[in-house]
Amino acid sequence: LDRATGKGFVHDHFITGKGQCSGGKGVCQDTLSTRGVNNIRLLNAALVNDYVMLTYQRPLKAQDEQDKAIITNGTQAVIWAVGSLNANNEPTYHKLRNKG
């Protein structure tokens, strides 16, 4: 969420390392791959009492080779992170307290 404008955004990424995207390695947006698709859709973004709330959706079935299918009959780990972006709006390494 851009606190200056109040505009929210989400991006579909694939992760091959802890660093920012360089040469297709690291934390890269799916669209940087020739077969990648940004199939994340932002539904709502809000800042309430200094808490950022983003609601988004994506298909249950994987849409490209970087995605994993979301299972509906058991538990599944989901990786998410909140942190700083560089000048190219790409994630940079962030502190442990900002991810889960």
Side-chain angles (χ1 to χ4, degrees):
L1 183 93
D2 183 333
R3 290 176 184 256
T5 65
K7 182 178 178 183
F9 55 92
V10 292
H11 297 283
D12 193 357
H13 286 74
F14 64 96
I15 302 170
T16 59
K18 290 183 179 181
Q20 65 188 44
C21 189
S22 178
K25 304 282 185 198
V27 180
C28 302
Q29 290 188 30
D30 274 16
T31 53
L32 293 178
S33 167
T34 57
R35 296 178 300 274
V37 177
N38 183 20
N39 55 5
I40 300 286
R41 190 178 96 178
L42 181 66
L43 301 176
N44 188 47
L47 180 63
V48 178
N49 295 328
D50 211 34
Y51 286 93
V52 173
M53 291 187 267
L54 300 170
T55 306
Y56 62 92
Q57 72 179 168
R58 67 148 266 206
L60 295 174
K61 183 178 177 186
Q63 301 291 301
D64 59 53
E65 65 185 33
Q66 286 91 7
D67 291 345
K68 302 288 184 195
I70 297 173
I71 58 174
T72 59
N73 60 350
T75 59
Q76 181 173 13
V78 176
I79 299 171
W80 61 271
V82 176
S84 302
L85 301 176
N86 65 17
N88 296 323
N89 276 341
E90 296 172 341
T92 59
Y93 193 76
H94 44 271
K95 297 177 183 175
L96 182 60
R97 66 175 177 81
N98 286 343
K99 63 183 177 179

